Amino acid sequence: MSAPRAARKSEARDFAGVAYAEAIERARALVPALRSRAAAAEAARTLPAETLADLHASGLLRTMQPKRWGGMEFDFIAYVDFPMELARGCASTGWNFANLQIHHWMLALYDERAQEEVWGADPQALIASGIAFPQGSGRKVEGGFVVSGRWNFSSCVNIAGWNMLAVTVKEGERAVDHRMCLLDKSQYEVIDDWKVLGMRSTGSMTVVAKDVFVPDYKALCMYDTRGGDRFPGARTNPSPAYQVPANPLLGHGIGACAVGNAQAALELSIDAVKQRSTSYTGSKMRDFQAVQLRIGAAGSKIDAARLVLRNDALEGQDLANRKVMADIPTKLRFKRNLAFAVTLCTEAVDILHAMAGANGIYEIYPLERIFRDAHSLAGHFSFSFDAQASSWGLAVLGGEVANPTL
């Protein structure tokens, strides 16, 4: 089924014919520009207009959007590969990209009416999110839900026209449903409280909504996104790319930013070591075995993290292709692996930052920002290895894991 052309107010470019290799090259080509803009983006606390224009012109933001809406409709591995590449240039840009990219994927799961409302007006619309279900509350009413809440860490909300907000629907004190409610920016308030240690240009501000009516078709039931084709959008978007289980893999794209950020640290460190001699003896740094070992250790951690995240995304896609529903231990294994991969990347950055010595404390030195970004993004709750590993351990040991959206 083709997207209704008459409804479109914005005749954005169609990227349905772009091949995967070509799209990756477009992402790779942006890395130098992203690196050159990273410091200014951090100071401004927002994604630069030039970067947003580049992402739109290249079509990269639409890598996971259905082809019928002019997107590339790539398999789920795109959610790891593209943020990972862009984060080599700027971790905050990679992070924002991952969020905007996966929200196109998520909108494809919604009822066709929601897709038409957003993409019919603008196929390249930007969508933010607030993903913590306890922060949103809702009650069922005729035709939909009335929702309220205060969601923090809503990345790129300062540039997005829409927001997907997580809501726990209750009857009395009992939770009966979990929905991702799609709101127009006119329906919520943005609180500019994103003044933080790192990842400053993600614009991950707080969103507040009060007693907003959300029709059924704009309130996606997360129980229908556990894998398979139960979600409302399956009729018009039947590709297995949209049948990957959501909850256990929705963090892998932002986790990939940790890999890209660490890879940038490695590349910059290698360049610096090749050129530097010690201040006091004039010896070449590359000749020190301790330096060689640090470079080698960091590189191995980054490569391992990359492989872990890519393997999970490929496995999730394979499950969807074969129409197999993953069991709870498998899903929790994905979440455990994500946290482990990010931990490896943080360790790699720490190794390289320590090797930089006094240079690493100067703001003008890119590794200083990379270090702050690494530790800031690692604070995301999805990346807590203790929490994710223990949940998987509980499941494989026969315990019951309380996570209704799995």
Side-chain angles (χ1 to χ4, degrees), residues 247-258:
N247 180 306
L249 290 166
L250 285 181
H252 278 56
I254 56 175
C257 296

Side-chain angles (χ1 to χ4, degrees), residues 381-396:
F381 70 92
S382 295
F383 305 153
S384 170
F385 182 70
D386 287 348
Q388 303 302 341
S390 62
S391 292
W392 177 79
L394 175 62
V396 297

Side-chain angles (χ1 to χ4, degrees), residues 31-101:
V31 170
L34 299 183
R35 285 187 180 174
S36 71
R37 297 169 188 161
E42 179 176 65
R45 297 190 302 122
T46 190
L47 192 72
E50 300 92 336
T51 296
L52 187 57
D54 285 342
L55 293 173
H56 278 312
S58 64
L60 295 177
L61 288 168
R62 302 170 67 188
T63 49
M64 299 182 77
Q65 182 186 42
K67 288 183 177 181
R68 54 189 291 271
W69 289 106
M72 300 180 195
E73 199 172 306
F74 290 149
D75 282 353
F76 201 81
I77 188 62
Y79 183 44
V80 171
D81 285 348
F82 286 90
M84 189 182 295
E85 193 65 45
L86 294 173
R88 288 177 49 238
C90 170
S92 288
T93 297
W95 185 279
N96 274 350
F97 173 85
N99 279 279
L100 296 170
Q101 179 193 37

Side-chain angles (χ1 to χ4, degrees), residues 172-187:
E173 295 300 313
R174 185 170 64 94
V176 295
D177 202 352
H178 291 81
R179 299 267 173 164
M180 287 298 290
C181 295
L182 181 64
L183 275 66
D184 178 86
K185 65 180 180 180
S186 64
Q187 297 176 295

